Amino acid sequence: MTVPVGRPHVDDGGAAPRTAAFLVLDRTLISGSSLSLLFRDLRDRDVYSIGEALTRTARHVAEVFFGGREQQSARLRRETMAAVTGLRSADLEDWSRRLATQEVLPRVYPDVARIIATHRAAGDLVYLVTASPIELARPVAAALELDGAIGTRAETDGNGYFTGRLPDGLMHGPVSLAAVRVLAAEQGIGLERSHAYSDSYDDRDLLAAVGHPHAVNPEPRLLEGAVRRGWAVHELRPARRQLLVGVPPVVPVGGLISCGIAIGLSLGRRRRQ
């Protein structure tokens, strides 16, 4: 579920737990959906027809604008794996390297890029968490110089070809939280001093598991829960920034994020001291 792509963890013999940041990919790290980008790339490679691509895109639009995102996202991801059945895992990862640099990176929110830089400057580990295929997650994490990626793993046969099955299920909800806990144990990470960033109500358990949860571009249910529980809320979509709960419209959202992350990191350092 997790593949390190950056600095390895070094056992320092009983030192304090490390701090990490876990960032969800779609609509949190980047605007839009990485799967839509993957669909388009597979269509251009004649993996499936334009008609199938349009159908999937229409479903994604309905998911974003008319609700039911978790259920429809699950179906969309299963359709993605069905589309690549019979392809080689190595080929998908090769294609994803180009996709990561040319399509995904330009969609990274500048404020989130600054958050990543702030965590790295503080010496924190930074991981990507996504329900998209690990073959896409790894190149994106590598392009951003993150420490690793957690993504959905599809079954392959003895020759490396996708069978179309997801033996561990989709990397979201309780599955992603379990993967983060395993990673934390392996890398000596203290979740109580770590950060998590997500837009989705489906990730509420992951957000609740860390000491510093951040709701980024939150969907309505996550926004409601974040306000109720006193979590940080960050709205990066320009058309909706003025709707940020409890924030005077004269205060720039980017500044709020910078202040919020600085406060969170300061609190983390105080706890370590």
Side-chain angles (χ1 to χ4, degrees), residues 216-258:
V216 181
N217 300 332
E219 60 176 324
R221 285 188 297 170
L222 179 59
L223 175 59
E224 178 184 358
V227 171
R228 186 175 65 252
R229 302 177 75 167
W231 294 350
V233 177
H234 310 301
E235 181 55 70
L236 307 181
R237 295 164 292 190
R240 301 180 68 175
R241 285 186 175 183
Q242 65 272 27
L243 301 178
L244 190 62
V245 174
V247 176
V250 296
V251 180
V253 174
L256 286 172
I257 291 182
S258 299

Side-chain angles (χ1 to χ4, degrees), residues 25-32 69 109 112 197-201 214-220 222-223 232-238 240-241 244 253 257:
L25 178 57
D26 293 348
R27 293 175 292 273
T28 300
L29 178 62
I30 65 170
S31 60
R69 189 156 71 184
Y109 286 109
V112 178
Y197 301 81
S198 178
D199 72 300
S200 176
Y201 179 77
H214 300 259
V216 181
N217 300 332
E219 60 176 324
L222 179 59
L223 175 59
V233 177
H234 310 301
E235 181 55 70
L236 307 181
R237 295 164 292 190
R240 301 180 68 175
R241 285 186 175 183
L244 190 62
V253 174
I257 291 182

Side-chain angles (χ1 to χ4, degrees), residues 33-246:
S33 167
S34 59
L35 283 174
S36 294
L37 300 175
L38 181 59
F39 286 156
R40 187 173 66 187
D41 191 66
L42 294 177
R43 178 205 64 199
D44 292 343
R45 296 176 187 278
D46 294 324
V47 172
Y48 55 78
S49 70
I50 292 177
E52 289 175 315
L54 291 175
T55 298
R56 288 172 169 83
T57 300
R59 286 175 178 168
H60 179 65
V61 170
E63 157 198 326
V64 172
F65 287 99
F66 300 108
R69 189 156 71 184
E70 290 85 4
Q71 293 80 4
Q72 294 188 36
S73 290
R75 181 175 63 183
L76 194 66
R77 290 173 180 120
R78 289 191 178 92
E79 288 176 347
T80 302
M81 300 318 301
V84 300
T85 298
L87 296 178
R88 286 199 317 152
S89 172
D91 289 337
L92 182 60
E93 187 153 0
D94 285 342
W95 300 342
S96 294
R97 290 190 185 96
R98 184 205 64 82
L99 195 67
T101 56
Q102 297 183 15
E103 300 289 345
V104 177
L105 261 62
R107 289 170 169 78
V108 173
Y109 286 109
D111 284 317
V112 178
R114 284 190 283 272
I115 286 174
I116 293 173
T118 302
H119 279 294
R120 297 303 296 266
D124 298 337
L125 300 170
V126 185
Y127 293 95
L128 184 68
V129 181
T130 178
S132 292
I134 190 64
E135 288 80 8
L136 175 60
R138 275 192 297 243
V140 171
L144 289 168
E145 299 183 348
L146 305 186
D147 293 279
I150 296 173
T152 297
R153 286 191 177 277
E155 182 183 77
T156 57
D157 63 19
N159 295 314
Y161 289 88
F162 290 116
T163 66
R165 292 187 288 271
L166 302 175
D168 299 322
L170 294 166
M171 188 58 64
H172 73 136
V175 178
S176 62
L177 174 57
V180 166
R181 291 191 186 281
V182 170
L183 175 64
E186 293 174 347
Q187 300 295 323
I189 295 168
L191 292 181
E192 72 284 351
R193 63 181 67 209
S194 295
H195 297 250
Y197 301 81
S198 178
D199 72 300
S200 176
Y201 179 77
D202 194 47
D203 291 319
R204 61 194 182 279
D205 292 338
L206 171 60
L207 293 170
V210 299
H212 304 285
H214 300 259
V216 181
N217 300 332
E219 60 176 324
R221 285 188 297 170
L222 179 59
L223 175 59
E224 178 184 358
V227 171
R228 186 175 65 252
R229 302 177 75 167
W231 294 350
V233 177
H234 310 301
E235 181 55 70
L236 307 181
R237 295 164 292 190
R240 301 180 68 175
R241 285 186 175 183
Q242 65 272 27
L243 301 178
L244 190 62
V245 174

Side-chain angles (χ1 to χ4, degrees), residues 10-25:
V10 178
D11 186 357
D12 50 13
R18 301 198 67 179
T19 301
F22 302 94
L23 294 100
V24 170
L25 178 57

